[in-house]
Amino acid sequence: MPGGGRCPDCGSTELVEDSHYSQSQLVCSDCGCVVTEGVLTTTFTDEGNLREVTYSRSTGESEQVSRSEQRGLRRVRDLCRVLQLPPTFEDTAIAYYQQAYRHSGIRAARLQKKEVLVGCCVLITCRQHNWPLTMGTICALLYADLDVFSGTYMQIVKLLGLDVPSLCLADLVKTYCSSFKLFQVSASVPAKYVEDKDKMLSRTLQLVELANETWLVTGRHPLPVITAATFLAWQSLQPSDRLTCSLARFCKLANVDLPYPAASRLQELLAVLLRMADQLAWLQVLKLDKRSVVKYIGDLLQHRHMLIRMAFRNGTAETEEEKEQQGQGQEQKHGEEEVGDSSLDLCKRKRPASPALLLPPCMLKPPKRICPVLPVSTVTGDENISDSEIEQYLRTPQEVRDFERAQAASRASTSVPNPP
């Protein structure tokens, strides 16, 4: 008996090898129990001790896959271990990689795309299990180009027909803000810039929700919005010491990269906060600007739902209201004619300015369309007119008769031979 194992049913050590079709198995000679049914190979020490080995760790895997696919599978496992993902995530990512690799378009792709495929399978698995992981994190670990990664990601999702939910914004905020180095005093972070993690995270979540409600997140990369919201939350908690700090210096202190559109997202957030501040009477007299409004972010967020309704209006609702007002105005037209001159002065009061429309930034500032340059026509009027087109220029019966006589004369001249 190889390995000195025992039968799991009767405990006997009388185990013999029995060939069942093409697979060799160990069978107990006393009770007939098949001991090693399902074991794939017999080269690992665990298999010699009658322990099952997963297919991904067995030697049978290398007999059916190519060298390139083996390398990709190893990369998937290594990436999952670097990210400290659960074992079930690793198995799912490997299964997706194997399914994608069966397609001819993936097998014949360039090496750069195959490297990106590893990260795409891991990202899809994390999204399906609601694991907070961003595309930028995967690209940083794989040294991959973001455009190539996003294109490959969409191709794999469509190719495999997967249902990938969108990333939860709250989980992404918690994960991203946890990487900021602003929660303990160090040589690079002064004491006045250190902030409590829970307070900063709570206010950042409120600002991100505000940005989401005002169309600043839709269709955009979330990290620039989160970076701008985190900066405003950090400033508003101690504005006296932090208003002089710029966004670039903040990212340097927090030891995070500054996304390129973060400055634009910051200006858009400040513009929304200023509109909300205009609705509070005790803030209207202060004449706030984009710098001083940071001091009152806490008050604005406390009543943000009401202030958003007051500061912005819905385009569809406004159209319906205008139609109703027009209908009411026509009904009241006859009654207004009977009102005296004294009541006309009351009707001439100025109407208060209506709030701005709550629309996505792409609709408020649409991109300019390039007008196509029309080709310059160089028609001089001396061009020859073909016989098939000349009928379009004939208008009167006299012109038709003249044209027929000219055609007959031209035919007669060509039929008469030249004199000797």
Side-chain angles (χ1 to χ4, degrees), residues 82-350:
V82 168
L83 296 171
Q84 298 181 358
L85 301 179
T88 55
F89 287 30
E90 180 179 336
D91 297 338
T92 307
I94 289 175
Y96 287 153
Y97 185 88
Q98 291 172 340
Q99 292 177 23
Y101 208 87
R102 294 192 189 104
H103 294 270
S104 58
I106 300 298
R107 287 198 305 268
R110 295 182 178 181
L111 182 60
Q112 182 185 13
K113 192 169 186 178
K114 292 180 180 178
E115 291 288 338
V116 167
L117 177 62
V118 173
C120 292
C121 296
V122 175
L123 181 61
I124 291 173
T125 304
C126 292
R127 290 282 177 89
Q128 290 180 336
H129 291 82
N130 198 22
W131 190 274
L133 182 67
T134 62
M135 193 177 292
T137 303
I138 297 289
C139 292
L141 291 174
L142 297 178
Y143 299 99
D145 182 67
L146 186 59
D147 295 335
V148 177
F149 189 96
S150 59
T152 307
Y153 175 82
M154 298 302 298
Q155 180 185 3
I156 296 302
V157 171
K158 185 178 180 180
L159 195 64
L160 302 182
L162 300 176
D163 184 14
V164 183
S166 59
L167 184 62
C168 180
L169 198 59
D171 294 338
L172 180 59
V173 170
K174 295 177 183 178
T175 305
Y176 186 64
C177 291
S178 299
S179 62
F180 282 44
K181 308 297 182 182
L182 294 173
F183 308 123
Q184 57 183 359
V185 181
S186 62
S188 59
V189 181
K192 63 180 181 179
Y193 291 155
V194 177
E195 190 51 66
D196 182 67
K197 182 178 179 180
D198 295 334
K199 292 181 181 180
M200 185 171 171
L201 183 59
S202 175
R203 184 155 294 187
T204 303
L205 282 171
Q206 292 178 352
L207 283 169
V208 172
E209 290 175 359
L210 172 64
N212 191 25
E213 293 171 358
T214 53
W215 296 96
L216 299 183
V217 183
T218 306
R220 291 172 165 180
H221 199 282
L223 290 187
V225 181
I226 297 175
T227 302
T230 307
F231 174 64
L232 289 177
W234 175 77
Q235 276 191 328
S236 63
L237 290 172
Q238 291 187 19
S240 59
D241 298 328
R242 300 171 182 174
L243 281 180
T244 56
C245 183
S246 62
L247 178 61
R249 188 185 176 193
F250 167 76
C251 293
K252 186 176 181 180
L253 290 172
N255 196 20
V256 295
D257 295 331
L258 175 60
Y260 170 70
S264 300
R265 304 294 91 83
L266 176 62
Q267 297 300 319
E268 292 172 353
L269 265 174
L270 290 172
V272 171
L273 292 172
L274 279 176
R275 285 193 172 273
M276 294 169 61
D278 290 340
Q279 308 305 317
L280 291 178
W282 62 278
L283 290 181
Q284 292 177 359
V285 297
L286 299 179
K287 297 182 180 180
L288 302 177
D289 54 12
K290 290 185 177 181
R291 184 172 182 178
S292 57
V293 75
V294 178
K295 302 177 183 179
Y296 308 98
I297 285 181
D299 299 331
L300 297 175
L301 294 177
Q302 187 177 359
H303 309 285
R304 73 173 189 272
H305 298 294
M306 180 191 67
L307 294 177
I308 288 176
R309 287 194 298 267
M310 295 172 61
F312 301 95
R313 60 188 171 98
N314 189 295
T316 307
E318 182 68 18
T319 305
E320 295 177 355
E321 290 178 1
E322 289 178 356
K323 291 181 179 179
E324 294 178 359
Q325 291 176 1
Q326 291 177 1
Q328 294 176 0
Q330 292 177 358
E331 294 177 358
Q332 297 176 358
K333 183 176 181 181
H334 301 288
E336 291 178 355
E337 293 177 355
E338 299 176 358
V339 178
D341 296 336
S342 60
S343 61
L344 290 176
D345 297 336
L346 299 176
C347 299
K348 293 180 180 180
R349 294 177 181 176
K350 293 183 178 179

Side-chain angles (χ1 to χ4, degrees), residues 321-390:
E321 290 178 1
E322 289 178 356
K323 291 181 179 179
E324 294 178 359
Q325 291 176 1
Q326 291 177 1
Q328 294 176 0
Q330 292 177 358
E331 294 177 358
Q332 297 176 358
K333 183 176 181 181
H334 301 288
E336 291 178 355
E337 293 177 355
E338 299 176 358
V339 178
D341 296 336
S342 60
S343 61
L344 290 176
D345 297 336
L346 299 176
C347 299
K348 293 180 180 180
R349 294 177 181 176
K350 293 183 178 179
R351 183 181 177 184
S354 59
L357 283 171
L358 182 57
L359 296 173
C362 61
M363 297 183 65
L364 294 175
K365 296 181 180 180
K368 295 182 180 180
R369 296 182 180 180
I370 301 177
C371 298
V373 179
L374 298 177
V376 180
S377 59
T378 56
V379 178
T380 60
D382 297 334
E383 290 80 12
N384 295 326
I385 301 176
S386 62
D387 294 342
S388 60
E389 296 179 355
I390 198 169

